[in-house]
Amino acid sequence: MTPTTTHPGLDAAILDYNGVLGLQPTADQWRHLARTANWPQQDLNGFQNAVWNARPAYDAGQLSDMAYWAKVLGAHPGPRLLRQLRDADTEMWTTTDDRVLAVLERAHHSGLPLFLLSNAPAHLSDVLDATDWCRRLMTRAFYSARLQTVKPDPAAYRQALAATGARDPRRVLFVDDRADNCQAAERLGLRTLHYTGRITDLEAALLHVPG
């Protein structure tokens, strides 16, 4: 691969979704999901803990929608409630950051190949794949449910890195909002940006724009 006009030091970029392109769910969205689940209103923290405790296996494709929500709720939801839960959960994760998308538009138009590497369950993966931004901007998208493993497992990074075609991992930038995910990428030789919401950091890393 040859250097791009955007950033002469990069052959490609691999980006996380949630916390980078995707905005974190709001408190209202969490409360809506908890109400949908018929969870006690005063115990939102308990609901969030139940959601996160079961999430790694769900994201890794080891649990169906039904099995995941049965673990969260402690009982199997009926078909109607299951659809409502899945829809409310998916909606929480599909709001994107316009600032980040604008930077990615510039990187894409300049010729930098962009790849998505996200911890996401099967249904959310399908929804993200169908978005306009993913179809236009991403050379290829990788999701944990399809990979059958979640970041920071090295296997997830290796599959995305191989797809870039880069001979030198130091010429591939990995962007994630979690430090542990970045550290795992660094151990494989990738250049990393621990993204904390500062759009100037992303511009500097992807577009070679001084921060």
Side-chain angles (χ1 to χ4, degrees):
M1 297 182 69
T2 57
T4 69
T5 56
T6 300
H7 197 314
L10 288 182
D11 289 339
I14 301 171
L15 302 111
D16 176 40
Y17 172 69
N18 186 51
V20 180
L21 284 86
L23 295 174
Q24 299 287 3
T26 65
D28 283 344
Q29 287 175 317
W30 273 111
R31 284 191 286 266
H32 173 64
L33 183 60
R35 285 194 301 270
T36 303
N38 299 310
W39 200 273
Q41 184 176 350
Q42 68 278 12
D43 187 27
L44 183 59
N45 284 341
F47 175 71
Q48 291 174 318
N49 287 336
V51 165
W52 289 125
N53 287 341
R55 198 75 183 195
Y58 187 41
D59 284 348
Q62 298 166 3
L63 296 176
S64 65
D65 295 335
M66 175 64 78
Y68 169 67
W69 283 108
K71 278 185 171 291
V72 173
L73 303 177
H76 285 81
R80 181 183 178 192
L81 178 56
L82 178 62
R83 287 193 300 271
Q84 293 172 336
L85 288 167
R86 191 181 69 176
D87 290 347
D89 178 77
T90 300
E91 185 179 355
M92 292 203 328
W93 306 109
T94 49
T95 304
T96 51
D97 188 330
D98 290 340
R99 303 173 309 151
V100 173
L101 286 176
V103 173
L104 298 187
E105 288 275 7
R106 291 162 62 191
H108 172 70
H109 286 309
S110 67
L112 181 67
L114 303 175
F115 296 79
L116 193 69
L117 178 59
S118 175
N119 286 351
H123 180 70
L124 178 57
S125 302
D126 293 340
V127 170
L128 294 178
D129 258 351
T131 60
D132 175 69
W133 61 261
C134 187
R135 297 176 70 170
R136 284 188 302 104
L137 301 179
M138 297 298 154
T139 300
R140 191 168 172 188
F142 294 88
Y143 304 99
S144 56
R146 299 175 187 171
L147 298 175
Q148 297 287 292
T149 187
V150 298
K151 293 176 295 182
D153 187 326
Y157 302 90
R158 289 192 183 105
Q159 292 194 55
L161 179 59
T164 69
R167 294 189 180 92
D168 185 352
R170 291 172 298 182
R171 295 185 58 84
V172 177
L173 175 70
F174 174 74
V175 183
D176 202 292
D177 66 315
R178 286 180 45 173
D180 58 337
N181 287 342
C182 289
Q183 290 161 4
E186 287 173 357
R187 287 192 288 270
L188 293 175
L190 282 82
R191 187 182 310 188
T192 64
L193 170 64
H194 178 204
Y195 182 67
T196 59
R198 281 171 44 98
I199 198 66
T200 53
D201 292 344
L202 190 64
E203 288 178 325
L206 283 177
L207 302 174
H208 206 43
V209 175

Short mmCIF file of all heavy atoms in Angstrom, two decimals, residues 55-106:
data_model
loop_
_atom_site.label_atom_id
_atom_site.label_comp_id
_atom_site.label_asym_id
_atom_site.label_seq_id
_atom_site.Cartn_x
_atom_site.Cartn_y
_atom_site.Cartn_z
N ARG A 55 -23.22 -8.64 28.96
CA ARG A 55 -22.94 -8.09 27.64
C ARG A 55 -21.76 -8.74 26.91
O ARG A 55 -21.84 -8.93 25.68
CB ARG A 55 -22.70 -6.58 27.74
CG ARG A 55 -22.84 -5.85 26.41
CD ARG A 55 -24.30 -5.71 26.02
NE ARG A 55 -24.47 -5.08 24.73
CZ ARG A 55 -25.63 -4.60 24.29
NH1 ARG A 55 -26.73 -4.69 25.05
NH2 ARG A 55 -25.73 -4.04 23.10
N PRO A 56 -20.65 -9.04 27.57
CA PRO A 56 -19.53 -9.60 26.80
C PRO A 56 -19.90 -10.85 26.00
O PRO A 56 -19.51 -10.98 24.83
CB PRO A 56 -18.48 -9.90 27.89
CG PRO A 56 -18.77 -8.90 28.96
CD PRO A 56 -20.26 -8.78 28.97
N ALA A 57 -20.63 -11.76 26.61
CA ALA A 57 -21.02 -12.97 25.89
C ALA A 57 -22.00 -12.66 24.76
O ALA A 57 -21.97 -13.30 23.70
CB ALA A 57 -21.64 -13.97 26.85
N TYR A 58 -22.86 -11.68 24.96
CA TYR A 58 -23.81 -11.25 23.92
C TYR A 58 -23.06 -10.62 22.76
O TYR A 58 -23.29 -10.96 21.59
CB TYR A 58 -24.78 -10.25 24.55
CG TYR A 58 -25.94 -9.81 23.68
CD1 TYR A 58 -26.63 -10.69 22.86
CD2 TYR A 58 -26.37 -8.48 23.72
CE1 TYR A 58 -27.71 -10.27 22.10
CE2 TYR A 58 -27.45 -8.05 22.97
CZ TYR A 58 -28.12 -8.94 22.16
OH TYR A 58 -29.20 -8.52 21.41
N ASP A 59 -22.13 -9.73 23.07
CA ASP A 59 -21.35 -9.09 22.02
C ASP A 59 -20.50 -10.09 21.25
O ASP A 59 -20.23 -9.90 20.05
CB ASP A 59 -20.43 -8.02 22.62
CG ASP A 59 -21.18 -6.74 22.99
OD1 ASP A 59 -22.34 -6.58 22.58
OD2 ASP A 59 -20.59 -5.90 23.69
N ALA A 60 -20.06 -11.15 21.93
CA ALA A 60 -19.22 -12.16 21.28
C ALA A 60 -20.03 -13.17 20.47
O ALA A 60 -19.46 -14.10 19.91
CB ALA A 60 -18.40 -12.90 22.34
N GLY A 61 -21.34 -12.99 20.40
CA GLY A 61 -22.16 -13.89 19.62
C GLY A 61 -22.43 -15.22 20.29
O GLY A 61 -22.89 -16.17 19.66
N GLN A 62 -22.16 -15.28 21.60
CA GLN A 62 -22.36 -16.53 22.34
C GLN A 62 -23.77 -16.66 22.91
O GLN A 62 -24.16 -17.73 23.36
CB GLN A 62 -21.34 -16.61 23.47
CG GLN A 62 -19.90 -16.65 22.98
CD GLN A 62 -18.89 -16.40 24.08
OE1 GLN A 62 -19.25 -16.25 25.25
NE2 GLN A 62 -17.62 -16.34 23.71
N LEU A 63 -24.53 -15.55 22.91
CA LEU A 63 -25.90 -15.55 23.41
C LEU A 63 -26.83 -15.00 22.34
O LEU A 63 -26.51 -14.00 21.70
CB LEU A 63 -26.02 -14.68 24.67
CG LEU A 63 -25.26 -15.10 25.92
CD1 LEU A 63 -25.44 -14.04 27.01
CD2 LEU A 63 -25.72 -16.46 26.43
N SER A 64 -27.96 -15.64 22.17
CA SER A 64 -29.01 -15.08 21.32
C SER A 64 -29.66 -13.89 22.03
O SER A 64 -29.41 -13.65 23.22
CB SER A 64 -30.08 -16.15 21.04
OG SER A 64 -30.73 -16.49 22.27
N ASP A 65 -30.50 -13.15 21.32
CA ASP A 65 -31.23 -12.06 21.96
C ASP A 65 -32.02 -12.59 23.16
O ASP A 65 -32.03 -11.98 24.24
CB ASP A 65 -32.20 -11.41 20.97
CG ASP A 65 -31.49 -10.72 19.82
OD1 ASP A 65 -30.31 -10.33 19.99
OD2 ASP A 65 -32.11 -10.58 18.75
N MET A 66 -32.69 -13.71 22.96
CA MET A 66 -33.50 -14.29 24.04
C MET A 66 -32.64 -14.68 25.23
O MET A 66 -32.96 -14.37 26.39
CB MET A 66 -34.28 -15.50 23.53
CG MET A 66 -35.07 -16.24 24.61
SD MET A 66 -36.39 -15.24 25.33
CE MET A 66 -37.63 -15.37 24.03
N ALA A 67 -31.53 -15.36 24.98
CA ALA A 67 -30.67 -15.81 26.07
C ALA A 67 -30.06 -14.63 26.82
O ALA A 67 -29.92 -14.66 28.05
CB ALA A 67 -29.58 -16.72 25.53
N TYR A 68 -29.71 -13.59 26.07
CA TYR A 68 -29.13 -12.40 26.71
C TYR A 68 -30.12 -11.75 27.65
O TYR A 68 -29.82 -11.48 28.82
CB TYR A 68 -28.69 -11.41 25.64
CG TYR A 68 -28.32 -10.05 26.19
CD1 TYR A 68 -27.20 -9.88 27.00
CD2 TYR A 68 -29.10 -8.93 25.91
CE1 TYR A 68 -26.87 -8.64 27.51
CE2 TYR A 68 -28.76 -7.69 26.41
CZ TYR A 68 -27.65 -7.55 27.21
OH TYR A 68 -27.32 -6.31 27.71
N TRP A 69 -31.32 -11.48 27.16
CA TRP A 69 -32.30 -10.79 28.00
C TRP A 69 -32.80 -11.68 29.14
O TRP A 69 -33.16 -11.18 30.21
CB TRP A 69 -33.44 -10.25 27.16
CG TRP A 69 -33.01 -9.01 26.44
CD1 TRP A 69 -32.75 -8.85 25.11
CD2 TRP A 69 -32.71 -7.75 27.05
NE1 TRP A 69 -32.32 -7.58 24.85
CE2 TRP A 69 -32.29 -6.88 26.02
CE3 TRP A 69 -32.76 -7.28 28.36
CZ2 TRP A 69 -31.92 -5.55 26.28
CZ3 TRP A 69 -32.40 -5.96 28.61
CH2 TRP A 69 -31.99 -5.11 27.58
N ALA A 70 -32.79 -12.98 28.94
CA ALA A 70 -33.14 -13.88 30.05
C ALA A 70 -32.11 -13.76 31.17
O ALA A 70 -32.46 -13.79 32.35
CB ALA A 70 -33.22 -15.32 29.55
N LYS A 71 -30.83 -13.61 30.80
CA LYS A 71 -29.79 -13.41 31.81
C LYS A 71 -29.95 -12.07 32.53
O LYS A 71 -29.79 -11.97 33.73
CB LYS A 71 -28.40 -13.49 31.18
CG LYS A 71 -27.88 -14.91 30.97
CD LYS A 71 -26.45 -14.89 30.46
CE LYS A 71 -25.86 -16.29 30.45
NZ LYS A 71 -25.65 -16.81 31.82
N VAL A 72 -30.26 -11.03 31.77
CA VAL A 72 -30.43 -9.70 32.36
C VAL A 72 -31.63 -9.69 33.31
O VAL A 72 -31.53 -9.18 34.44
CB VAL A 72 -30.62 -8.64 31.27
CG1 VAL A 72 -30.98 -7.29 31.88
CG2 VAL A 72 -29.36 -8.52 30.41
N LEU A 73 -32.74 -10.24 32.88
CA LEU A 73 -33.99 -10.15 33.62
C LEU A 73 -34.19 -11.26 34.65
O LEU A 73 -35.01 -11.14 35.55
CB LEU A 73 -35.18 -10.17 32.65
CG LEU A 73 -35.20 -9.08 31.57
CD1 LEU A 73 -36.39 -9.27 30.65
CD2 LEU A 73 -35.21 -7.70 32.20
N GLY A 74 -33.46 -12.36 34.47
CA GLY A 74 -33.66 -13.51 35.35
C GLY A 74 -34.84 -14.36 34.95
O GLY A 74 -35.23 -15.27 35.68
N ALA A 75 -35.44 -14.09 33.79
CA ALA A 75 -36.57 -14.86 33.27
C ALA A 75 -36.67 -14.59 31.77
O ALA A 75 -36.24 -13.54 31.29
CB ALA A 75 -37.88 -14.47 33.96
N HIS A 76 -37.23 -15.54 31.03
CA HIS A 76 -37.35 -15.37 29.59
C HIS A 76 -38.48 -14.40 29.26
O HIS A 76 -39.62 -14.60 29.70
CB HIS A 76 -37.63 -16.72 28.92
CG HIS A 76 -36.43 -17.60 28.84
ND1 HIS A 76 -36.01 -18.38 29.90
CD2 HIS A 76 -35.54 -17.81 27.83
CE1 HIS A 76 -34.92 -19.04 29.56
NE2 HIS A 76 -34.61 -18.72 28.31
N PRO A 77 -38.20 -13.34 28.48
CA PRO A 77 -39.27 -12.44 28.05
C PRO A 77 -40.08 -13.10 26.93
O PRO A 77 -39.58 -13.94 26.20
CB PRO A 77 -38.52 -11.22 27.52
CG PRO A 77 -37.22 -11.78 27.04
CD PRO A 77 -36.88 -12.92 27.97
N GLY A 78 -41.34 -12.68 26.81
CA GLY A 78 -42.15 -13.15 25.70
C GLY A 78 -41.69 -12.52 24.40
O GLY A 78 -40.90 -11.57 24.39
N PRO A 79 -42.20 -13.01 23.26
CA PRO A 79 -41.75 -12.51 21.95
C PRO A 79 -41.95 -11.00 21.79
O PRO A 79 -41.07 -10.32 21.25
CB PRO A 79 -42.62 -13.30 20.96
CG PRO A 79 -43.00 -14.54 21.69
CD PRO A 79 -43.14 -14.14 23.12
N ARG A 80 -43.08 -10.48 22.25
CA ARG A 80 -43.34 -9.04 22.09
C ARG A 80 -42.37 -8.22 22.92
O ARG A 80 -41.78 -7.25 22.43
CB ARG A 80 -44.78 -8.72 22.48
CG ARG A 80 -45.12 -7.24 22.30
CD ARG A 80 -46.51 -6.93 22.77
NE ARG A 80 -46.81 -5.51 22.65
CZ ARG A 80 -47.86 -4.93 23.20
NH1 ARG A 80 -48.73 -5.65 23.90
NH2 ARG A 80 -48.07 -3.63 23.04
N LEU A 81 -42.19 -8.61 24.18
CA LEU A 81 -41.26 -7.87 25.04
C LEU A 81 -39.84 -7.98 24.51
O LEU A 81 -39.07 -7.01 24.55
CB LEU A 81 -41.34 -8.40 26.47
CG LEU A 81 -40.37 -7.74 27.48
CD1 LEU A 81 -40.56 -6.23 27.52
CD2 LEU A 81 -40.55 -8.35 28.87
N LEU A 82 -39.47 -9.14 23.99
CA LEU A 82 -38.13 -9.32 23.46
C LEU A 82 -37.87 -8.33 22.31
O LEU A 82 -36.81 -7.71 22.25
CB LEU A 82 -37.94 -10.75 22.97
CG LEU A 82 -36.58 -11.06 22.34
CD1 LEU A 82 -35.46 -10.86 23.36
CD2 LEU A 82 -36.56 -12.49 21.80
N ARG A 83 -38.85 -8.18 21.41
CA ARG A 83 -38.69 -7.23 20.31
C ARG A 83 -38.55 -5.80 20.84
O ARG A 83 -37.73 -5.02 20.35
CB ARG A 83 -39.88 -7.32 19.35
CG ARG A 83 -39.90 -8.56 18.49
CD ARG A 83 -40.91 -8.43 17.36
NE ARG A 83 -42.27 -8.24 17.86
CZ ARG A 83 -43.11 -9.23 18.15
NH1 ARG A 83 -42.71 -10.50 17.99
NH2 ARG A 83 -44.32 -8.98 18.58
N GLN A 84 -39.35 -5.47 21.85
CA GLN A 84 -39.29 -4.12 22.41
C GLN A 84 -37.94 -3.86 23.08
O GLN A 84 -37.37 -2.77 22.94
CB GLN A 84 -40.43 -3.94 23.43
CG GLN A 84 -41.81 -3.94 22.81
CD GLN A 84 -42.92 -3.95 23.86
OE1 GLN A 84 -42.70 -4.39 25.00
NE2 GLN A 84 -44.09 -3.48 23.48
N LEU A 85 -37.43 -4.85 23.78
CA LEU A 85 -36.14 -4.70 24.43
C LEU A 85 -35.02 -4.55 23.41
O LEU A 85 -34.14 -3.70 23.55
CB LEU A 85 -35.87 -5.92 25.33
CG LEU A 85 -36.69 -6.02 26.61
CD1 LEU A 85 -36.56 -7.41 27.22
CD2 LEU A 85 -36.28 -4.95 27.61
N ARG A 86 -35.05 -5.38 22.39
CA ARG A 86 -34.00 -5.32 21.38
C ARG A 86 -34.04 -3.98 20.65
O ARG A 86 -33.00 -3.37 20.38
CB ARG A 86 -34.15 -6.46 20.38
CG ARG A 86 -32.94 -6.61 19.46
CD ARG A 86 -33.11 -7.73 18.46
NE ARG A 86 -34.14 -7.41 17.47
CZ ARG A 86 -34.43 -8.18 16.43
NH1 ARG A 86 -33.82 -9.33 16.28
NH2 ARG A 86 -35.36 -7.83 15.56
N ASP A 87 -35.25 -3.50 20.34
CA ASP A 87 -35.38 -2.22 19.64
C ASP A 87 -34.88 -1.07 20.51
O ASP A 87 -34.18 -0.18 20.02
CB ASP A 87 -36.83 -1.98 19.23
CG ASP A 87 -37.29 -2.90 18.11
OD1 ASP A 87 -36.43 -3.56 17.49
OD2 ASP A 87 -38.51 -2.97 17.86
N ALA A 88 -35.26 -1.07 21.79
CA ALA A 88 -34.84 0.01 22.69
C ALA A 88 -33.33 -0.04 22.91
O ALA A 88 -32.67 1.00 22.97
CB ALA A 88 -35.58 -0.10 24.01
N ASP A 89 -32.79 -1.23 23.03
CA ASP A 89 -31.35 -1.39 23.22
C ASP A 89 -30.60 -0.91 21.98
O ASP A 89 -29.62 -0.16 22.08
CB ASP A 89 -31.03 -2.86 23.50
CG ASP A 89 -29.54 -3.10 23.67
OD1 ASP A 89 -29.00 -2.78 24.74
OD2 ASP A 89 -28.91 -3.61 22.72
N THR A 90 -31.06 -1.30 20.81
CA THR A 90 -30.40 -0.91 19.56
C THR A 90 -30.44 0.61 19.39
O THR A 90 -29.44 1.23 18.99
CB THR A 90 -31.06 -1.60 18.36
OG1 THR A 90 -30.94 -3.02 18.52
CG2 THR A 90 -30.41 -1.19 17.06
N GLU A 91 -31.56 1.21 19.72
CA GLU A 91 -31.70 2.66 19.57
C GLU A 91 -30.69 3.41 20.43
O GLU A 91 -30.22 4.49 20.06
CB GLU A 91 -33.12 3.09 19.95
CG GLU A 91 -33.39 4.56 19.72
CD GLU A 91 -34.81 4.96 20.06
OE1 GLU A 91 -35.61 4.07 20.41
OE2 GLU A 91 -35.11 6.17 20.00
N MET A 92 -30.33 2.84 21.58
CA MET A 92 -29.38 3.50 22.48
C MET A 92 -28.00 3.65 21.85
O MET A 92 -27.23 4.52 22.23
CB MET A 92 -29.22 2.71 23.79
CG MET A 92 -30.43 2.71 24.66
SD MET A 92 -30.06 2.39 26.41
CE MET A 92 -28.65 1.34 26.39
N TRP A 93 -27.67 2.77 20.91
CA TRP A 93 -26.30 2.71 20.40
C TRP A 93 -26.17 3.23 18.98
O TRP A 93 -25.14 3.00 18.34
CB TRP A 93 -25.80 1.27 20.47
CG TRP A 93 -25.92 0.66 21.82
CD1 TRP A 93 -26.79 -0.32 22.22
CD2 TRP A 93 -25.17 1.01 22.99
NE1 TRP A 93 -26.63 -0.60 23.55
CE2 TRP A 93 -25.65 0.20 24.06
CE3 TRP A 93 -24.16 1.94 23.24
CZ2 TRP A 93 -25.14 0.29 25.34
CZ3 TRP A 93 -23.64 2.02 24.53
CH2 TRP A 93 -24.13 1.21 25.55
N THR A 94 -27.16 3.92 18.44
CA THR A 94 -27.11 4.28 17.03
C THR A 94 -27.11 5.80 16.80
O THR A 94 -27.33 6.24 15.68
CB THR A 94 -28.29 3.65 16.26
OG1 THR A 94 -29.51 3.90 16.96
CG2 THR A 94 -28.09 2.14 16.12
N THR A 95 -26.84 6.58 17.83
CA THR A 95 -26.69 8.03 17.65
C THR A 95 -25.21 8.34 17.41
O THR A 95 -24.36 7.98 18.23
CB THR A 95 -27.18 8.80 18.89
OG1 THR A 95 -28.54 8.44 19.16
CG2 THR A 95 -27.09 10.30 18.65
N THR A 96 -24.92 8.98 16.30
CA THR A 96 -23.52 9.23 15.93
C THR A 96 -23.12 10.68 16.23
O THR A 96 -23.96 11.57 16.35
CB THR A 96 -23.29 8.93 14.44
OG1 THR A 96 -24.27 9.62 13.66
CG2 THR A 96 -23.38 7.45 14.18
N ASP A 97 -21.82 10.88 16.36
CA ASP A 97 -21.23 12.18 16.63
C ASP A 97 -20.93 12.86 15.29
O ASP A 97 -20.05 12.40 14.55
CB ASP A 97 -19.94 12.00 17.45
CG ASP A 97 -19.37 13.31 17.95
OD1 ASP A 97 -19.55 14.34 17.28
OD2 ASP A 97 -18.71 13.31 19.02
N ASP A 98 -21.63 13.94 14.99
CA ASP A 98 -21.45 14.61 13.71
C ASP A 98 -20.04 15.15 13.52
O ASP A 98 -19.53 15.19 12.39
CB ASP A 98 -22.45 15.77 13.58
CG ASP A 98 -23.88 15.30 13.41
OD1 ASP A 98 -24.08 14.12 13.02
OD2 ASP A 98 -24.81 16.09 13.68
N ARG A 99 -19.38 15.53 14.61
CA ARG A 99 -18.01 16.05 14.52
C ARG A 99 -17.06 14.95 14.02
O ARG A 99 -16.21 15.20 13.16
CB ARG A 99 -17.54 16.57 15.86
CG ARG A 99 -18.39 17.64 16.50
CD ARG A 99 -17.87 17.91 17.90
NE ARG A 99 -17.74 16.66 18.65
CZ ARG A 99 -16.84 16.45 19.62
NH1 ARG A 99 -15.99 17.40 19.96
NH2 ARG A 99 -16.80 15.29 20.25
N VAL A 100 -17.23 13.76 14.56
CA VAL A 100 -16.37 12.65 14.16
C VAL A 100 -16.64 12.25 12.72
O VAL A 100 -15.71 12.01 11.93
CB VAL A 100 -16.57 11.44 15.11
CG1 VAL A 100 -15.81 10.23 14.61
CG2 VAL A 100 -16.13 11.81 16.52
N LEU A 101 -17.91 12.20 12.36
CA LEU A 101 -18.25 11.84 10.98
C LEU A 101 -17.67 12.84 9.98
O LEU A 101 -17.23 12.46 8.89
CB LEU A 101 -19.77 11.73 10.81
CG LEU A 101 -20.41 10.50 11.44
CD1 LEU A 101 -21.92 10.56 11.30
CD2 LEU A 101 -19.88 9.22 10.81
N ALA A 102 -17.65 14.12 10.35
CA ALA A 102 -17.08 15.13 9.47
C ALA A 102 -15.59 14.89 9.24
O ALA A 102 -15.08 15.03 8.12
CB ALA A 102 -17.31 16.52 10.04
N VAL A 103 -14.86 14.51 10.30
CA VAL A 103 -13.44 14.20 10.17
C VAL A 103 -13.25 12.96 9.29
O VAL A 103 -12.37 12.92 8.41
CB VAL A 103 -12.79 13.99 11.54
CG1 VAL A 103 -11.36 13.50 11.41
CG2 VAL A 103 -12.82 15.28 12.36
N LEU A 104 -14.09 11.95 9.50
CA LEU A 104 -13.97 10.73 8.70
C LEU A 104 -14.31 10.99 7.23
O LEU A 104 -13.72 10.36 6.34
CB LEU A 104 -14.88 9.64 9.27
CG LEU A 104 -14.56 9.18 10.69
CD1 LEU A 104 -15.43 7.99 11.07
CD2 LEU A 104 -13.09 8.84 10.85
N GLU A 105 -15.25 11.89 6.98
CA GLU A 105 -15.56 12.26 5.59
C GLU A 105 -14.31 12.82 4.92
O GLU A 105 -13.98 12.44 3.79
CB GLU A 105 -16.67 13.32 5.56
CG GLU A 105 -18.05 12.80 5.93
CD GLU A 105 -18.79 12.18 4.75
OE1 GLU A 105 -18.17 12.04 3.68
OE2 GLU A 105 -19.96 11.81 4.94
N ARG A 106 -13.61 13.69 5.61
CA ARG A 106 -12.40 14.29 5.04
C ARG A 106 -11.32 13.24 4.80
O ARG A 106 -10.65 13.23 3.76
CB ARG A 106 -11.89 15.39 5.96
CG ARG A 106 -12.80 16.60 6.02
CD ARG A 106 -12.52 17.47 7.24
NE ARG A 106 -11.17 18.01 7.22
CZ ARG A 106 -10.61 18.62 8.27
NH1 ARG A 106 -11.29 18.75 9.42
NH2 ARG A 106 -9.38 19.09 8.19
#
